Amino acid sequence: MTPIQKVIYHKNKNIKPVWLMRQAGRYLPEFRKIRRKNTNFIDLCLNKKQVKKITLQPIKRFNLDAAIIFSDILMVPYGLDQDVNFKKNYGPILGELELKNLYKISHKDFTNKLNPVYESLETIKKDKLLKNRDLIGFVGGPWTVLVYMLNKKSPKKNLNKLIKDKGLTSDLLEIITNFLCVHIKNQVQSGASVIQIFDSWAGLVKKKDLERNIYEPTKKIVNFIHSLKTPSICFPRNIENYKEFTDVTKPDVISIDYKVDPIKIIKNIKIPVQGGLDPEILLTNKKNIKLKTQKYLDIFKNHPYIFNLGHGVLPQTNPDMVEYLINLVKNFK
Ligand code: CP3
């Protein structure tokens, strides 16, 4: 059993596995070096040799308990034949969404297009560095993927215009949810030991739309992951009511963002918890990092807990601070 599976299935409180969202990425000079030579981000995510190298970069440096496949939540729109580009210092830019084409794409076409992702997982899984470590596969939450496909870039606060046509959004959510399940199944079959659902824009949904846009599609995906005998981690970033979210969607683990109060979480939520520490803390100093990290470890001492941040590692982070943080968690008594 892997470290994360021990926490989930045995509710083990004695081990505090640690991994970080965006642990493979721009704060690492060895990643930036590869990125400079590979200007097309999607092509890089489909390059098996480089994906393996990048996924293992943080594992070689730090005492982490899990690797996360180097990929992106926007590989799914790409698999659905929508153009996806990444502009430097701007973020993703997606092409027009061709609805007529979307309805025609088969599971087989989609799987073929994303096959390098699955082959990468297979070879990473076999590497000796993965012994006693989790290999995390992931998808975007259906809502977050929908937002990117319709808005064609990272959203600002107001999404009213985007979701005006309720019929269209619910049709699209259903199609996206089905393909996310295909992507999950392929990742699990290729060796992923856990699946995390990144719903980065869950916090933008109004209360009255939560059931339709977040709860119902997420529940479907969580159930699907469980049907594959695989653990699920949900990260509904900035959602107002984490307790209600977990009660309704029933994931194995709830990953919390840095704005929520961990003391309130531990009082209300009985399932294993992941994350919380503000990634900005890593930009400060060792004394402060130690103080804030110990706070989370103290609060979750008697609760099944996976150490992580409340969002991804920031690009300007010093890798020495990441090393310091991980050693603090590993040496915590
Ligand atoms: O180490 C890991 O966590 C695995 C790899 C990973 C990436 N993206 C690589 C990446 C994961 C898990 C993601 C998830 C992802 N992608 C999310 C959910 C998590 C979150 O941050 O909220 C979202 C919303 C995306 C979409 C996306 N991809 C954006 C908005 C951007 C550009 C801005 C940014 O945050 O970097 C990307 C590009 C991206 N994905 C990079 C990496 C390493 C940077 C690429 C580069 O320019 O070099």
Side-chain angles (χ1 to χ4, degrees):
M1 208 173 259
T2 63
I4 291 180
Q5 288 175 347
K6 279 181 198 161
V7 170
I8 293 173
Y9 293 133
H10 292 320
K11 304 281 183 285
N12 192 320
K13 298 165 194 155
N14 301 323
I15 51 168
K16 303 289 177 200
V18 50
W19 71 279
L20 305 179
M21 294 190 255
R22 294 291 181 93
Q23 65 188 27
R26 281 176 299 184
Y27 74 103
L28 287 178
E30 58 269 37
F31 169 77
R32 288 200 299 271
K33 195 169 160 207
I34 294 179
R35 181 73 171 102
R36 272 198 295 276
K37 294 186 199 139
N38 295 270
T39 47
N40 184 315
F41 185 73
I42 294 281
D43 286 348
L44 181 57
C45 291
L46 296 169
N47 181 329
K48 289 179 273 177
K49 196 172 140 216
Q50 300 300 351
V51 166
K52 179 173 179 187
K53 244 197 214 162
I54 297 169
T55 301
L56 295 177
Q57 279 173 350
I59 309 297
K60 286 189 174 146
R61 263 186 187 252
F62 313 120
N63 193 2
L64 290 159
D65 292 298
I68 177 164
I69 173 82
F70 179 76
S71 186
D72 199 89
I73 65 163
L74 300 179
M75 293 310 281
V76 167
Y78 167 81
L80 294 172
D81 278 346
Q82 189 170 14
D83 263 350
V84 181
N85 284 292
F86 289 84
K87 201 166 123 187
K88 209 174 171 184
N89 304 323
Y90 180 83
I93 303 179
L94 284 78
E96 278 308 314
L97 179 61
E98 302 287 349
L99 287 175
K100 260 191 288 170
N101 290 354
L102 186 62
Y103 291 114
K104 282 193 225 145
I105 294 167
S106 68
H107 289 183
K108 196 163 161 238
D109 293 340
F110 173 85
T111 297
N112 282 341
K113 212 166 164 192
L114 296 184
N115 208 41
V117 176
Y118 313 131
E119 289 178 351
S120 300
L121 277 163
E122 278 170 22
T123 62
I124 294 165
K125 180 82 180 173
K126 286 185 202 135
D127 195 283
K128 58 179 184 319
L129 282 169
L130 264 289
K131 199 170 167 263
N132 291 325
R133 289 196 164 99
D134 280 276
L135 177 54
I136 300 171
F138 68 89
V139 291
W143 163 254
T144 291
V145 175
L146 173 81
V147 165
Y148 278 106
M149 288 177 79
L150 287 177
N151 196 52
K152 300 192 242 76
K153 58 179 191 245
S154 295
K156 298 266 176 340
K157 283 237 142 43
N158 194 338
L159 287 174
N160 286 343
K161 251 200 270 165
L162 196 69
I163 51 167
K164 222 164 53 190
D165 186 342
K166 295 217 163 100
L168 175 68
T169 45
S170 65
D171 283 359
L172 281 174
L173 268 177
E174 193 175 333
I175 296 174
I176 292 167
T177 303
N178 287 338
F179 279 100
L180 291 174
C181 288
V182 175
H183 193 42
I184 288 167
K185 187 173 179 197
N186 292 335
Q187 292 183 73
V188 168
Q189 283 174 346
S190 308
S193 62
V194 186
I195 297 290
Q196 173 148 329
I197 305 169
F198 288 92
D199 217 348
S200 307
W201 301 109
L204 296 183
V205 177
K206 294 206 184 89
K207 221 178 187 155
K208 66 172 177 41
D209 297 323
L210 278 173
E211 178 63 36
R212 189 182 39 199
N213 291 335
I214 304 283
Y215 294 162
E216 197 197 325
T218 305
K219 224 181 331 186
K220 246 197 210 168
I221 296 191
V222 168
N223 282 338
F224 182 78
I225 299 171
H226 295 170
S227 79
L228 303 172
K229 307 235 174 325
T230 302
S232 59
I233 305 176
C234 276
F235 179 49
R237 186 166 70 96
N238 276 353
I239 203 151
E240 217 179 280
N241 193 335
Y242 272 91
K243 159 103 175 108
E244 184 177 274
F245 176 91
T246 34
D247 286 348
V248 177
T249 64
K250 298 193 164 48
D252 288 311
V253 180
I254 183 74
S255 195
I256 56 173
D257 66 79
Y258 52 86
K259 288 194 187 146
V260 302
D261 176 2
I263 295 176
K264 207 172 138 198
I265 290 287
I266 203 158
K267 270 197 201 134
N268 291 331
I269 293 185
K270 298 301 160 212
I271 65 167
V273 176
Q274 169 178 278
L277 183 76
D278 189 343
E280 300 252 357
I281 300 291
L282 286 172
L283 308 180
T284 63
N285 54 64
K286 287 187 176 172
K287 193 172 158 216
N288 190 39
I289 294 173
K290 189 170 181 179
L291 193 77
K292 301 287 162 46
T293 301
Q294 280 184 338
K295 180 183 133 188
Y296 279 91
L297 290 168
D298 280 332
I299 292 171
F300 290 104
K301 205 174 163 82
N302 295 312
H303 192 95
Y305 182 64
I306 301 162
F307 194 91
N308 205 320
L309 304 175
H311 199 194
V313 182
L314 295 162
Q316 64 272 38
T317 306
N318 178 348
D320 293 344
M321 295 303 172
V322 173
E323 179 168 21
Y324 179 72
L325 167 75
I326 291 165
N327 289 337
L328 276 177
V329 180
K330 284 282 144 194
N331 297 326
F332 183 78
K333 290 275 169 346

